[in-house]
Amino acid sequence: MPGMNRRVVFFLSDQTGVTAETLGRSLLTQFEEHEFDQVTVPFIDSVDKADEAVRQINAVATETGIRPIIFSTLVQDDIRERFSRANGLLLDFFSTFLGQLEQELLIRSSHTVGRAHGMKDQGSYDKRIEATNFALNNDDGTRTSEYDQADVILIGVSRSGKTPTCLYLALTYGVFAANYPLSEDEFETGRLPRSLESHRDKLFGVSISPERLRQIRRERRPEGRYASIEQVRYELRGAEALFRRYQIGWVDTTGFSIEEIASKILSRTGIERRVRP
């Protein structure tokens, strides 16, 4: 039987569960002394599925002796009502906030399933896809001819987080993000490559701690100089020296999530989001 510092958490949704997970996990981060076993139950779009989820929750409560925590973004009233009998702490985001909004706006909400992640804005969806294709086509310095179209060009050493950050910026905000890996040539000369010189106003640097970079590189290529602590320190010193020389803004990615890194970049650069998540 788990102790009180370990709890099972359910994320309930009539769609993918992304919203319930995002909101719920944001709250759970404030309780560092606890550990949480997380279960997502998506696409609860009928009373039968709701009742099955209730049975699952109650079974966990019986087995562990501790009632689970339940985060819900369910919309339909008849489905939401079924969870009032669940043996858990129910945190219903829609009932918490929709009622207050209805009072303030003097109108009842539509209670329409799927609005949070729907395709009602085809234009925004198309912009995200276009930005994602741009990020993939301009990854890792493979081509530089399209840099005129870029909103931002991330530069840094290999494995410092450039690619996932570019993809997140594209998928979430429709930002056209390219990235370019700094190499031995730049570290030896102390100068930017010619392909970046004319785009200096779009450059933003990413760095990382030597220890974390070494760990990442060893998982990818454990043998040779690539993952040695001497090599990663040399490269990071060279990269940060370039950032200072050319007055390029930069962020240390160590210990931050992709979401946090992207937010820092947008805040520091003032880049306008092409779409809203």
Side-chain angles (χ1 to χ4, degrees):
M1 180 181 299
M4 287 297 291
N5 65 337
R6 189 177 190 92
R7 301 287 287 271
V8 178
V9 178
F10 283 86
F11 301 107
L12 310 179
S13 173
D14 42 35
Q15 291 293 297
T16 63
V18 171
T19 301
E21 290 174 347
T22 300
L23 295 172
R25 287 171 179 167
S26 295
L27 294 173
L28 295 177
T29 60
Q30 303 303 308
F31 301 92
E32 297 177 1
E33 69 279 10
H34 279 67
E35 296 182 15
F36 300 101
D37 298 320
Q38 302 175 24
V39 180
T40 300
V41 186
F43 303 112
I44 304 174
D45 53 7
S46 69
V47 170
D48 288 342
K49 290 181 181 179
D51 289 342
E52 175 56 34
V54 169
R55 286 191 288 271
Q56 186 179 356
I57 292 167
N58 290 344
V60 169
T62 299
E63 180 182 349
T64 63
I66 304 172
R67 64 178 185 162
I69 298 169
I70 309 165
F71 292 104
S72 169
T73 55
L74 296 166
V75 175
Q76 293 179 248
D77 290 335
D78 58 337
I79 293 177
R80 289 167 52 212
E81 185 276 331
R82 311 300 283 193
F83 290 93
S84 62
R85 67 194 71 179
N87 186 12
L89 171 64
L90 178 60
L91 301 173
D92 188 328
F93 290 114
F94 272 81
S95 67
T96 299
F97 299 110
L98 275 185
Q100 295 185 60
L101 283 170
E102 288 175 341
Q103 293 178 23
E104 182 67 24
L105 299 175
L106 302 177
I107 189 173
R108 179 170 170 76
S109 62
S110 65
H111 281 52
T112 302
V113 174
R115 279 289 176 86
H117 301 286
M119 287 282 291
K120 62 182 184 296
D121 189 345
Q122 182 69 44
S124 293
Y125 176 79
D126 290 342
K127 288 177 182 176
R128 288 190 174 98
I129 295 302
E130 188 179 356
T132 301
N133 286 333
F134 180 87
L136 292 171
N137 289 335
N138 292 273
D139 180 50
D140 225 20
T142 52
R143 77 171 66 169
T144 60
S145 59
E146 297 181 352
Y147 280 3
D148 286 341
Q149 303 174 43
D151 296 313
V152 65
I153 303 168
L154 300 186
I155 62 173
V157 303
S158 171
R159 314 306 295 177
S160 57
K162 301 183 301 300
T163 295
T165 302
C166 284
L167 288 172
Y168 182 83
L169 287 167
L171 283 166
T172 307
Y173 301 112
V175 169
F176 278 45
N179 74 80
Y180 188 100
L182 298 174
S183 66
E184 295 280 351
D185 290 341
E186 288 79 57
F187 305 140
E188 291 178 3
T189 65
R191 301 189 64 84
L192 289 173
R194 184 174 301 176
S195 58
L196 297 181
E197 280 281 3
S198 59
H199 303 287
R200 283 172 55 179
D201 59 326
K202 297 181 178 182
L203 301 182
F204 194 88
V206 291
S207 192
I208 192 171
S209 73
E211 295 74 20
R212 178 59 179 148
L213 180 58
R214 183 191 186 197
Q215 178 186 4
I216 294 171
R217 288 188 174 184
R218 289 184 70 176
E219 292 172 358
R220 180 178 177 86
R221 195 192 307 166
E223 304 298 331
R225 190 179 62 157
Y226 179 71
S228 70
I229 192 65
E230 294 81 11
Q231 180 65 20
V232 299
R233 284 175 175 163
Y234 165 72
E235 291 184 23
L236 290 169
R237 283 197 303 269
E240 292 176 15
L242 278 170
F243 301 157
R244 289 190 292 270
R245 177 175 183 176
Y246 289 93
Q247 297 182 317
I248 297 169
W250 60 282
V251 62
D252 187 327
T253 65
T254 310
F256 292 107
S257 67
I258 293 298
E259 295 89 344
E260 291 171 315
I261 296 167
S263 293
K264 288 175 179 288
I265 292 171
L266 292 175
S267 176
R268 293 276 301 277
T269 61
I271 293 172
E272 185 176 349
R273 298 159 172 81
R274 294 178 184 240
V275 298
R276 294 286 173 175

